[in-house]
Amino acid sequence: MPDRSRDESSLAPAHDELPVREELRGERPYGAPQLDVPVRLNVNENPYPPSAAVVADMAAAAARACAGLNRYPDREAVALRADLAAYLGHGLTADQVWAANGSNEVMAQLLSAFGGPGRTAMSFAPTYSMYPEYARDTHTAWAAGRRADDFTIELPAALGEIAARRPDVVFLASPNNPTGTALALADIAAICAAAPGIVVVDEAYAEFARPGAPSALSLLASHPRLAVTRTMSKAFAFAGGRLGYLAASAEFVDALRVVRLPYHLSALTQAVARVALAHAEEMLGNVAQLRAERDATIDWLRAAGLVAADSDANFVLFGVFADRHAIWQGLLDRGVLIRETGPDGWLRVCMGTPGEMAAFRAALKELL
Ligand SMILES: *Cc1c(COP(=O)(O)O)cnc(C)c1O
């Protein structure tokens, strides 16, 4: 991977003289450093690439799609959405599922349809740092409630904030990024009942959840203003394929179809994602191993005298460091890239192969 660390957050000199929107002046492109180091544990990817057999199937499907690239792709991505519905289960059908280039694009579409001037989106921090950016980009006001010290959402406080702010859109990441915290279904249902607008449960890490952390998909039938977003970027080992999706009512999906760009999902993306879904069992084959790695990493960090948050995802938030940047830099100097994110003093590491995790532990031990 090329080293883009120098240019990714910098802008051409004249940028700030252009008549960009006031709220974008001085803003830098968002993103974790993409550095060419031996051990990359910073963006919650699945460390295991697809097998040679799956790669061959993907290449054949891509070749067939290429033979028709003179034509626009299926604008409605019907076959892919049917496959996604079958993968999700819960009796969902293609018209209740939507797909886009990553769940980030799905969330931008959500705010195009349900946010906008005079409207408010809300979440509970610390949480996914992209939500306020989608709000900014769609002229949607942003409101952030707080999570408790253990990163759970305290229901009475949350319901109070929702009553006070009357948000049009509530984002609930479960399991949450960067903390790994899953929400109880009863709490999600209570928030759905109280929220005046739509509720979006972002389940980017659902496949990594521990037993007993059920999906909000089971609430869809009884909550018409609820949507659940998923992604193939994490457990599904398809981050480079860019495929995110959403499940909701057919009427809800229709609202997203109105705001999507024409032919937003390329024929190549649709074809290759369908191959990945046809091999779901294999693509998800390392999830159990990554879960075990997560639990072992939490135990190891705690035994080393650190604080580690409970996690239902493929990463662990740990600390608490007086100078977290020094720890992050020390790890990087030893060839291990993790993420400097979350509340002050905390760092996030995502689960790699056993060899990568051994490298992480060895490097961190030297720094403690
Ligand atoms: C990684 C992540 C996503 C998914 O992003 P994609 O655009 O699908 O790659 C969504 N939500 C959260 C909380 C995430 O951490």
PDB file of all heavy atoms in Angstrom, residues 8-9 28-34 42-43 129-130 133 339:
ATOM      1  N   GLU A   8      -2.815  12.822   2.727  1.00  0.00           N
ATOM      2  CA  GLU A   8      -4.242  12.528   2.908  1.00  0.00           C
ATOM      3  C   GLU A   8      -5.004  13.602   3.674  1.00  0.00           C
ATOM      4  O   GLU A   8      -6.188  13.797   3.442  1.00  0.00           O
ATOM      5  CB  GLU A   8      -4.449  11.166   3.555  1.00  0.00           C
ATOM      6  CG  GLU A   8      -4.022  11.100   4.990  1.00  0.00           C
ATOM      7  CD  GLU A   8      -4.196   9.684   5.522  1.00  0.00           C
ATOM      8  OE1 GLU A   8      -4.566   8.797   4.737  1.00  0.00           O
ATOM      9  OE2 GLU A   8      -3.975   9.493   6.710  1.00  0.00           O
ATOM     10  N   SER A   9      -4.338  14.311   4.566  1.00  0.00           N
ATOM     11  CA  SER A   9      -5.104  15.315   5.293  1.00  0.00           C
ATOM     12  C   SER A   9      -4.740  16.726   4.834  1.00  0.00           C
ATOM     13  O   SER A   9      -5.278  17.702   5.319  1.00  0.00           O
ATOM     14  CB  SER A   9      -4.847  15.185   6.798  1.00  0.00           C
ATOM     15  OG  SER A   9      -3.530  15.566   7.084  1.00  0.00           O
ATOM     16  N   ARG A  28     -10.585  19.317   7.215  1.00  0.00           N
ATOM     17  CA  ARG A  28      -9.646  18.385   6.587  1.00  0.00           C
ATOM     18  C   ARG A  28     -10.368  17.085   6.249  1.00  0.00           C
ATOM     19  O   ARG A  28     -11.306  16.712   6.957  1.00  0.00           O
ATOM     20  CB  ARG A  28      -8.479  18.100   7.546  1.00  0.00           C
ATOM     21  CG  ARG A  28      -7.610  19.339   7.802  1.00  0.00           C
ATOM     22  CD  ARG A  28      -6.775  19.657   6.581  1.00  0.00           C
ATOM     23  NE  ARG A  28      -6.000  20.894   6.700  1.00  0.00           N
ATOM     24  CZ  ARG A  28      -6.398  22.082   6.214  1.00  0.00           C
ATOM     25  NH1 ARG A  28      -7.579  22.207   5.635  1.00  0.00           N
ATOM     26  NH2 ARG A  28      -5.632  23.139   6.322  1.00  0.00           N
ATOM     27  N   PRO A  29      -9.939  16.383   5.195  1.00  0.00           N
ATOM     28  CA  PRO A  29     -10.574  15.095   4.880  1.00  0.00           C
ATOM     29  C   PRO A  29     -10.417  14.137   6.054  1.00  0.00           C
ATOM     30  O   PRO A  29      -9.352  14.043   6.645  1.00  0.00           O
ATOM     31  CB  PRO A  29      -9.805  14.584   3.671  1.00  0.00           C
ATOM     32  CG  PRO A  29      -9.038  15.750   3.145  1.00  0.00           C
ATOM     33  CD  PRO A  29      -8.828  16.690   4.297  1.00  0.00           C
ATOM     34  N   TYR A  30     -11.475  13.436   6.374  1.00  0.00           N
ATOM     35  CA  TYR A  30     -11.460  12.538   7.514  1.00  0.00           C
ATOM     36  C   TYR A  30     -10.835  11.197   7.147  1.00  0.00           C
ATOM     37  O   TYR A  30     -11.027  10.707   6.041  1.00  0.00           O
ATOM     38  CB  TYR A  30     -12.898  12.309   8.004  1.00  0.00           C
ATOM     39  CG  TYR A  30     -13.009  11.243   9.051  1.00  0.00           C
ATOM     40  CD1 TYR A  30     -12.824  11.555  10.395  1.00  0.00           C
ATOM     41  CD2 TYR A  30     -13.258   9.925   8.699  1.00  0.00           C
ATOM     42  CE1 TYR A  30     -12.904  10.571  11.352  1.00  0.00           C
ATOM     43  CE2 TYR A  30     -13.338   8.942   9.658  1.00  0.00           C
ATOM     44  CZ  TYR A  30     -13.165   9.265  10.983  1.00  0.00           C
ATOM     45  OH  TYR A  30     -13.238   8.284  11.927  1.00  0.00           O
ATOM     46  N   GLY A  31     -10.135  10.585   8.064  1.00  0.00           N
ATOM     47  CA  GLY A  31      -9.674   9.218   7.838  1.00  0.00           C
ATOM     48  C   GLY A  31      -8.476   8.863   8.692  1.00  0.00           C
ATOM     49  O   GLY A  31      -7.666   9.718   9.033  1.00  0.00           O
ATOM     50  N   ALA A  32      -8.397   7.587   9.027  1.00  0.00           N
ATOM     51  CA  ALA A  32      -7.246   7.092   9.775  1.00  0.00           C
ATOM     52  C   ALA A  32      -6.035   7.070   8.847  1.00  0.00           C
ATOM     53  O   ALA A  32      -6.182   6.872   7.643  1.00  0.00           O
ATOM     54  CB  ALA A  32      -7.523   5.687  10.289  1.00  0.00           C
ATOM     55  N   PRO A  33      -4.829   7.272   9.397  1.00  0.00           N
ATOM     56  CA  PRO A  33      -3.628   7.189   8.558  1.00  0.00           C
ATOM     57  C   PRO A  33      -3.555   5.834   7.850  1.00  0.00           C
ATOM     58  O   PRO A  33      -3.805   4.801   8.460  1.00  0.00           O
ATOM     59  CB  PRO A  33      -2.485   7.325   9.568  1.00  0.00           C
ATOM     60  CG  PRO A  33      -3.077   7.956  10.785  1.00  0.00           C
ATOM     61  CD  PRO A  33      -4.516   7.549  10.804  1.00  0.00           C
ATOM     62  N   GLN A  34      -3.265   5.856   6.536  1.00  0.00           N
ATOM     63  CA  GLN A  34      -3.032   4.609   5.789  1.00  0.00           C
ATOM     64  C   GLN A  34      -1.525   4.490   5.603  1.00  0.00           C
ATOM     65  O   GLN A  34      -0.956   5.092   4.692  1.00  0.00           O
ATOM     66  CB  GLN A  34      -3.747   4.634   4.436  1.00  0.00           C
ATOM     67  CG  GLN A  34      -5.260   4.457   4.548  1.00  0.00           C
ATOM     68  CD  GLN A  34      -5.951   4.237   3.210  1.00  0.00           C
ATOM     69  OE1 GLN A  34      -5.806   5.033   2.301  1.00  0.00           O
ATOM     70  NE2 GLN A  34      -6.691   3.141   3.088  1.00  0.00           N
ATOM     71  N   ASN A  42      -5.746  -1.016  12.582  1.00  0.00           N
ATOM     72  CA  ASN A  42      -6.303   0.317  12.887  1.00  0.00           C
ATOM     73  C   ASN A  42      -7.673   0.615  12.292  1.00  0.00           C
ATOM     74  O   ASN A  42      -8.289   1.593  12.688  1.00  0.00           O
ATOM     75  CB  ASN A  42      -5.320   1.414  12.459  1.00  0.00           C
ATOM     76  CG  ASN A  42      -5.160   1.497  10.952  1.00  0.00           C
ATOM     77  OD1 ASN A  42      -5.274   0.489  10.261  1.00  0.00           O
ATOM     78  ND2 ASN A  42      -4.886   2.680  10.449  1.00  0.00           N
ATOM     79  N   VAL A  43      -8.161  -0.154  11.325  1.00  0.00           N
ATOM     80  CA  VAL A  43      -9.467   0.212  10.745  1.00  0.00           C
ATOM     81  C   VAL A  43     -10.468  -0.940  10.776  1.00  0.00           C
ATOM     82  O   VAL A  43     -11.412  -0.972   9.985  1.00  0.00           O
ATOM     83  CB  VAL A  43      -9.329   0.819   9.328  1.00  0.00           C
ATOM     84  CG1 VAL A  43      -8.775   2.240   9.404  1.00  0.00           C
ATOM     85  CG2 VAL A  43      -8.471  -0.032   8.423  1.00  0.00           C
ATOM     86  N   SER A 129     -17.299   8.429  14.626  1.00  0.00           N
ATOM     87  CA  SER A 129     -17.008   9.843  14.395  1.00  0.00           C
ATOM     88  C   SER A 129     -17.487  10.344  13.039  1.00  0.00           C
ATOM     89  O   SER A 129     -17.413  11.541  12.761  1.00  0.00           O
ATOM     90  CB  SER A 129     -15.513  10.094  14.554  1.00  0.00           C
ATOM     91  OG  SER A 129     -14.785   9.119  13.840  1.00  0.00           O
ATOM     92  N   MET A 130     -17.990   9.443  12.184  1.00  0.00           N
ATOM     93  CA  MET A 130     -18.503   9.912  10.890  1.00  0.00           C
ATOM     94  C   MET A 130     -19.910  10.512  10.988  1.00  0.00           C
ATOM     95  O   MET A 130     -20.297  11.314  10.136  1.00  0.00           O
ATOM     96  CB  MET A 130     -18.540   8.765   9.865  1.00  0.00           C
ATOM     97  CG  MET A 130     -17.195   8.370   9.290  1.00  0.00           C
ATOM     98  SD  MET A 130     -16.306   9.759   8.527  1.00  0.00           S
ATOM     99  CE  MET A 130     -17.436  10.230   7.228  1.00  0.00           C
ATOM    100  N   GLU A 133     -20.189  14.139  10.630  1.00  0.00           N
ATOM    101  CA  GLU A 133     -19.769  14.611   9.300  1.00  0.00           C
ATOM    102  C   GLU A 133     -20.899  14.467   8.274  1.00  0.00           C
ATOM    103  O   GLU A 133     -21.109  15.343   7.442  1.00  0.00           O
ATOM    104  CB  GLU A 133     -18.513  13.865   8.836  1.00  0.00           C
ATOM    105  CG  GLU A 133     -17.379  14.056   9.827  1.00  0.00           C
ATOM    106  CD  GLU A 133     -16.001  14.093   9.173  1.00  0.00           C
ATOM    107  OE1 GLU A 133     -15.914  14.027   7.932  1.00  0.00           O
ATOM    108  OE2 GLU A 133     -15.026  14.210   9.922  1.00  0.00           O
ATOM    109  N   ARG A 339      -5.202   2.524  16.410  1.00  0.00           N
ATOM    110  CA  ARG A 339      -5.971   3.757  16.192  1.00  0.00           C
ATOM    111  C   ARG A 339      -6.014   4.609  17.449  1.00  0.00           C
ATOM    112  O   ARG A 339      -6.373   4.119  18.534  1.00  0.00           O
ATOM    113  CB  ARG A 339      -7.395   3.396  15.760  1.00  0.00           C
ATOM    114  CG  ARG A 339      -8.209   4.573  15.269  1.00  0.00           C
ATOM    115  CD  ARG A 339      -7.827   4.940  13.853  1.00  0.00           C
ATOM    116  NE  ARG A 339      -8.511   6.154  13.422  1.00  0.00           N
ATOM    117  CZ  ARG A 339      -9.701   6.163  12.822  1.00  0.00           C
ATOM    118  NH1 ARG A 339     -10.312   5.030  12.557  1.00  0.00           N
ATOM    119  NH2 ARG A 339     -10.262   7.303  12.488  1.00  0.00           N
TER     120      ARG A 339
END
